[in-house]
Amino acid sequence: MTTTTPLDPALSAIAAGFSRRRFLVLGGAGLALAACGGGGNAPGQPAAPDTGSGGASYGGPAVTLAFWNGFTGGDGDVIKKIVSEFNAQATNVKVEMNIYQWADFFTKLPAAVSTGKGPDVACMHIDDIPTNAARNIITPIDQVAAALNLQESDFSSAVWQGGTYKGQRFGIPLDIHPLALYWNKDVLTKAGLDAEKPPTNRADYESVLAELKGKGTQGFWVSPFQFTGAFTYMSLMWQFGGDAFDAGVTKATFDSPEAVEALTWLTSMADQGYSPKNVGQDADYIAFKNSKNAFNWNGIWQINDLKAQDKIKWGVGPVPQIGSQQGVWGNSHQFVQLRQTKPDQNKVDATRYFINWVSQKSAEWATSGKIPAKLSVAESPEFKALKEEYSLAPEAQYVHFPPATAGIGDALTELYTAVNNAVLGKATPQQALSDGAKKATSILQDNLKKYGA
């Protein structure tokens, strides 16, 4: 069963103090516990002792589990189908699922958990895990990983490490959703270009953009917003050899020479007339679907939306390598188990069983526009049959995620602001990144005091 049951009015009142933008700046739900009180177990401690099964099976009495997620797009239909399949085959376990907008999900979650009205299981992104672990909203889930016999070699290192915090596992990887290159075949064909061979490197990409400009088309609209201009910049930053933070995540380094070079290249797209100078939120993607531009760097999650379009022909593949090495922004949905104020051991065990079962359905989940997190599934016949999604599988080997550090969203917001200022011409790339990195470093230092090393 899937519902969108509203929360208790008291929880809504607590949550109301956190606006959508404030939530995004804080980088996750955890900070709301500072307002409503943590309570319960100390951070990093399981909500209840493990029975030893770790989710391999469930033989307890009948229980009903609450499952929350933010799959409001096309992926919502897929997760509904998977949950229905689970309920049909499970004995003594029923899952009731609530789907929220992600911003609402993270606003409601900490208040619900702290008052004992939270879900048993949820999905969240890699960069949400550290803060929620530090604030004791989610509990270690090492037993499930052991039951599934999961090892780092089963995944890309980035997706595996992204589910950990301070040496403990809090997330079971479900998927990877990286940035991709989409190209409008109609625009390329009209310009006399090969629509079946998109550019894969800097020289070819710039050459095609120049040809398109010569025929009156601004081929690559650069967004100044997080979705997806900042993700495009971060991909370029890694390609040029830079990184957002130092190894210890104590200092912002997105103003390094390599990072500045990456943003300079991106802003040059408008300077050279390949992009408008002021692109509105999502205007780049809308223009792509209306054949106003040729290329769009966007998430793998747009595949199903484009499949539903009948007015354009399009292709999708890995983002071009503009810098000296491969690199692409990405994120990962991971299963987490929520802290309970009064843990029910049967529900704890049933939750682990549910996570185990759904994790083995990752090929089916990939039909929602994802790459299976497990490498063996990403090479399975079922996933290979998904032509568009499978074309992006190579990116799993060089995808980058935000570091597993509590409060990292606060610091990343300064990076997003810097990209916005530079792309809109409010500051040079060097100045915008330097100003942002200084503020981000201050935030990181504050986070060390707030959350510990």
Side-chain angles (χ1 to χ4, degrees):
M1 182 174 74
T2 303
T3 64
T4 53
T5 305
L7 288 180
D8 181 277
L11 299 185
S12 298
I14 293 173
F18 294 85
S19 67
R20 181 178 187 276
R21 175 166 176 77
R22 181 62 176 160
F23 154 71
L24 291 171
V25 169
L26 294 178
L31 301 193
L33 280 184
C36 55
N41 303 50
Q45 298 299 315
D50 181 48
T51 62
S53 68
S57 61
Y58 177 72
V63 295
T64 298
L65 304 178
F67 174 34
W68 287 16
N69 60 69
F71 301 133
T72 56
D75 46 11
D77 291 335
V78 180
I79 197 65
K80 289 174 186 176
K81 181 174 182 291
I82 291 174
V83 168
S84 178
E85 291 171 354
F86 173 82
N87 284 335
Q89 64 81 44
T91 300
N92 289 344
V93 183
K94 179 183 178 182
V95 172
E96 294 184 347
M97 181 169 62
N98 279 30
I99 300 177
Y100 299 98
Q101 294 290 335
W102 280 115
D104 293 336
F105 169 92
F106 283 112
T107 301
K108 297 173 187 293
L109 186 66
V113 169
S114 70
T115 56
K117 298 181 180 180
D120 300 288
V121 60
C123 280
M124 60 179 58
H125 299 90
I126 273 183
D127 48 332
D128 302 312
I129 288 176
T131 304
N132 285 283
R135 290 292 184 178
N136 197 22
I137 294 177
I138 58 178
T139 63
I141 202 167
D142 301 271
Q143 299 91 346
V144 180
L148 286 167
N149 194 29
L150 301 179
Q151 303 176 30
E152 184 169 354
S153 59
D154 296 327
F155 305 88
S156 69
S157 179
V159 76
W160 179 252
Q161 294 301 327
T164 63
Y165 178 66
K166 291 190 174 181
Q168 291 182 294
R169 176 151 300 282
F170 286 84
I172 298 297
L174 179 62
D175 65 46
I176 298 172
H177 43 280
L179 213 63
L181 173 71
Y182 295 92
W183 63 95
N184 187 310
K185 294 184 178 183
D186 296 330
V187 173
L188 293 176
T189 299
K190 184 178 179 180
L193 299 167
D194 191 340
E196 302 303 324
K197 293 184 179 180
T200 59
N201 56 60
R202 178 173 180 170
D204 289 347
Y205 196 64
E206 292 176 346
S207 176
V208 170
L209 290 176
E211 289 196 50
L212 288 167
K213 178 185 175 183
K215 297 180 181 180
T217 297
Q218 292 177 300
F220 176 38
W221 289 27
V222 177
S223 169
F225 299 97
Q226 176 185 351
F227 285 88
T228 54
F231 298 156
T232 297
Y233 162 68
M234 294 173 78
S235 301
L236 294 166
M237 175 186 66
W238 290 310
Q239 289 188 10
F240 278 83
D243 208 339
F245 309 102
D246 65 0
V249 198
T250 61
K251 178 182 179 181
T253 58
F254 55 79
D255 62 341
S256 68
E258 295 83 3
V260 173
E261 184 180 6
L263 189 53
T264 299
W265 182 87
L266 188 62
T267 58
S268 76
M269 296 295 99
D271 296 338
Q272 297 180 71
Y274 302 150
S275 168
K277 290 185 178 293
N278 189 354
V279 176
Q281 180 69 67
D282 298 324
D284 52 325
Y285 182 59
I286 294 170
F288 178 83
K289 292 197 292 184
N290 288 321
S291 295
K292 300 297 184 182
N293 60 30
F295 302 112
N296 186 236
W297 294 36
N298 215 311
I300 187 175
W301 54 82
Q302 299 292 20
I303 286 177
N304 285 340
D305 180 59
L306 287 170
K307 284 182 178 179
Q309 306 294 318
D310 57 8
K311 61 182 179 180
I312 63 168
K313 296 179 180 178
W314 56 278
V316 62
V319 299
Q321 182 180 327
I322 305 300
S324 61
Q325 60 193 33
Q326 292 176 316
V328 66
W329 173 91
N331 214 318
S332 167
H333 292 116
Q334 304 214 358
F335 276 113
V336 296
Q337 196 160 11
L338 284 301
R339 178 179 63 81
Q340 305 298 324
T341 55
K342 296 180 180 179
D344 178 332
Q345 185 62 54
N346 292 315
K347 282 194 172 185
V348 170
D349 292 343
T351 296
R352 291 167 179 161
Y353 171 60
F354 173 68
I355 293 172
N356 183 329
W357 191 89
V358 178
S359 294
Q360 298 177 58
K361 292 285 185 177
S362 57
E364 183 176 349
W365 174 242
T367 63
S368 68
K370 311 289 189 298
I371 298 173
K374 199 168 185 180
L375 298 176
S376 59
V377 181
E379 287 300 320
S380 67
E382 293 85 357
F383 183 60
K384 288 182 178 180
L386 303 175
K387 178 182 175 182
E388 291 82 7
E389 287 86 353
Y390 183 67
S391 72
L392 298 175
E395 291 190 326
Q397 297 303 310
Y398 50 85
V399 66
H400 290 259
F401 301 110
T405 303
I408 196 63
D410 304 11
L412 282 171
T413 296
E414 298 301 333
L415 183 153
Y416 303 151
T417 299
V419 171
N420 184 275
N421 288 336
V423 172
L424 292 177
K426 297 178 181 178
T428 65
Q430 177 70 72
Q431 189 63 57
L433 293 175
S434 294
D435 290 347
K438 182 178 179 180
K439 294 176 182 177
T441 295
S442 178
I443 290 170
L444 293 175
Q445 293 301 313
D446 288 343
N447 284 344
L448 288 175
K449 299 173 184 177
K450 185 185 301 182
Y451 302 108

